Amino acid sequence: MSGLRERLNRLKMSSSSSPLISPSSDESSLQELEETSFNEWAGLEAEYVENQWGAFVKRTRRYPLTHRHGCYELGEIGATGGKLAAFSAAVLPAVPESFLYFDTETTGLGHGAGNLAFMLGIGFYQAEEFVVEQLLIRNTAEELAMLTYFSELAAGFTHLVTYNGKAFDWPLLQGRCVMNRLKPNKWKPQHLDFLHPSRSLWKHTLPSCRLGKVEEERLGFNRMDDLPGAMAPVYYFRYLAERDPEILRGVFVHNEYDILSLASLSIHFSRVLSGLLELDQMVAEEVYRLGLWFDKMEEVELAEQAFQHLLNRSIEECAPYWTPVAAYYKKRKNAAGSID
């Protein structure tokens, strides 16, 4: 007991003899801490963004329209992008400046309240460049600030472009807005979910319709040393434990590739809808699916072009499709397309 009393007395004496820290030195220490923290994120080309609800991290990457992602230059969307309006029931002009490309990185795959979108990746055309912004929260207290920034930015676009966003990313984001008392229905974009046309065209010709596989097989883009999307939550939780921003570098790069691939895929589909793809480069099953796709979208001329091309191929290639193509022409009552 006496030993404890002696230690307390020594502590009291040492604290009373220490000089008081002035307010100016407090401010200086806080400034140094903020500068150190900022420099850590600067290594990832990221910065702090503040609004009325707090702060979050934003990483911005800018690409010239001549930048090539796979087999397409990003600026090629300007020639055919208007054709993407066919994916939407509403009659709204589909121009490059109206598209907001969107992808999330989340802490899980469910739709429950515990699943958090810790990163929002967005891309858009601005002037003579393509801009990728990635919004990251360092803790849940920053979520409202991030969502508010996204909502204000998104209001300037009429089309939302995603990959499986209708089933996952968009409902998840709306749920998070509700939990943060934001109005998720304030912005009602035309949603272009490229997973659906991808499945329509390639579900029988590609081993998978995952975005990564579509990139490789149809966009000519191969990711090198890419972090698998399923590992993104693991690295985020590791960041929360260690607080080293460098841990998230792979997550940023993976998400950036997703946004760029969405832009490249929009060019591909706009060229498909313009009838600019070489049918000779497609296997018979893909040409057949393309014809059905055009028929469903009431693009009659393009549908007949695809089916006629299919029927002009060798017997070995086109024989399996004689019956369904004949049914198509019967439905259209087009005697000129009948098979001898």
Side-chain angles (χ1 to χ4, degrees):
M1 186 70 177
S2 59
L4 176 61
R5 185 179 294 109
E6 290 177 1
R7 287 196 295 272
L8 290 173
N9 288 334
R10 285 198 299 270
L11 179 61
K12 182 178 180 180
M13 292 175 62
S14 62
S15 61
S16 61
S17 61
S18 300
L20 294 176
I21 300 177
S22 64
S24 60
S25 63
D26 273 346
E27 294 175 0
S28 176
S29 299
L30 180 59
Q31 182 178 0
E32 290 177 1
L33 180 60
E34 291 177 346
E35 289 177 353
T36 300
S37 182
F38 172 78
N39 290 334
E40 290 176 347
W41 288 103
L44 293 175
E45 302 177 76
E47 62 180 347
Y48 288 128
V49 173
E50 294 186 10
N51 57 27
Q52 68 271 34
W53 302 111
F56 58 94
V57 174
K58 182 178 77 168
R59 180 176 184 257
T60 305
R61 302 273 288 169
R62 299 179 181 274
Y63 292 90
L65 298 184
T66 55
H67 177 78
R68 183 173 292 274
H69 186 77
C71 56
Y72 297 116
E73 291 185 0
L74 295 177
E76 292 184 56
I77 188 68
T80 56
K83 290 291 185 177
L84 294 174
F87 285 145
S88 174
V91 181
L92 287 175
V95 295
E97 293 77 13
S98 70
F99 300 143
L100 183 67
Y101 300 91
F102 176 65
D103 183 64
T104 64
E105 303 300 332
T106 64
T107 57
L109 298 178
H111 290 282
N115 192 15
L116 178 72
F118 64 85
M119 179 183 291
L120 305 183
I122 54 180
F124 51 90
Y125 286 92
Q126 184 180 73
E128 296 300 315
E129 59 187 7
F130 183 76
V131 182
V132 177
E133 290 189 1
Q134 295 166 290
L135 319 179
L136 173 81
I137 56 174
R138 298 164 295 173
N139 53 66
T140 54
E142 296 182 342
E143 185 180 26
L144 178 57
M146 178 184 70
L147 293 175
T148 301
Y149 176 89
F150 173 82
S151 299
E152 293 174 352
L153 177 68
F157 300 88
T158 58
H159 293 75
L160 183 71
V161 184
T162 68
Y163 203 84
N164 196 33
K166 284 186 177 180
F168 183 73
D169 301 83
W170 190 237
L172 174 65
L173 187 74
Q174 289 184 308
R176 299 309 303 182
C177 286
V178 170
M179 294 188 67
N180 283 274
R181 298 184 179 182
L182 290 176
K183 295 180 179 180
N185 295 325
K186 187 176 181 181
W187 181 54
K188 296 182 179 180
Q190 297 302 307
H191 197 152
L192 311 181
D193 188 338
F194 286 159
L195 174 63
H196 304 299
S198 296
R199 283 177 173 169
S200 295
L201 289 181
W202 304 315
K203 64 181 178 180
H204 296 302
T205 54
L206 295 182
S208 168
C209 284
R210 292 183 300 103
L211 182 58
K213 182 56 65 175
V214 171
E215 288 174 346
E216 296 174 10
E217 301 291 338
R218 294 296 179 267
L219 302 180
F221 179 73
N222 293 286
R223 304 191 186 201
M224 303 299 293
D225 301 323
D226 180 51
L227 177 75
M231 292 297 294
V234 176
Y235 279 77
Y236 182 65
F237 289 130
R238 180 182 167 192
Y239 160 73
L240 294 180
E242 301 180 23
R243 291 296 170 179
D244 180 5
E246 188 63 28
I247 293 172
L248 295 174
R249 179 177 294 275
V251 180
F252 276 108
V253 173
H254 172 83
N255 181 263
E256 182 181 353
Y257 283 159
D258 285 346
I259 298 298
L260 290 172
S261 290
L262 278 175
S264 187
L265 191 56
S266 68
I267 298 170
H268 183 85
F269 281 138
S270 69
R271 289 176 60 82
V272 169
L273 291 167
S274 301
L276 296 179
L277 293 190
E278 296 292 336
L279 298 180
D280 291 333
Q281 304 300 316
M282 300 180 185
V283 299
E285 173 67 16
E286 186 173 352
V287 176
Y288 171 66
R289 291 291 166 185
L290 182 62
L292 294 180
W293 194 49
F294 283 140
D295 178 43
K296 185 177 181 180
M297 299 176 68
E298 298 185 353
E299 294 283 351
V300 178
E301 183 177 346
L302 291 175
E304 295 212 2
Q305 180 182 343
F307 288 134
Q308 286 294 338
H309 175 87
L310 181 62
L311 295 178
N312 289 333
R313 288 193 171 189
S314 66
I315 295 179
E316 292 78 10
E317 289 184 283
C318 71
Y321 305 99
W322 284 349
T323 300
V325 172
Y328 162 80
Y329 281 118
K330 182 178 180 180
K331 182 180 69 173
R332 291 292 181 184
K333 298 180 180 180
N334 190 340
S338 62
I339 303 172
D340 295 332

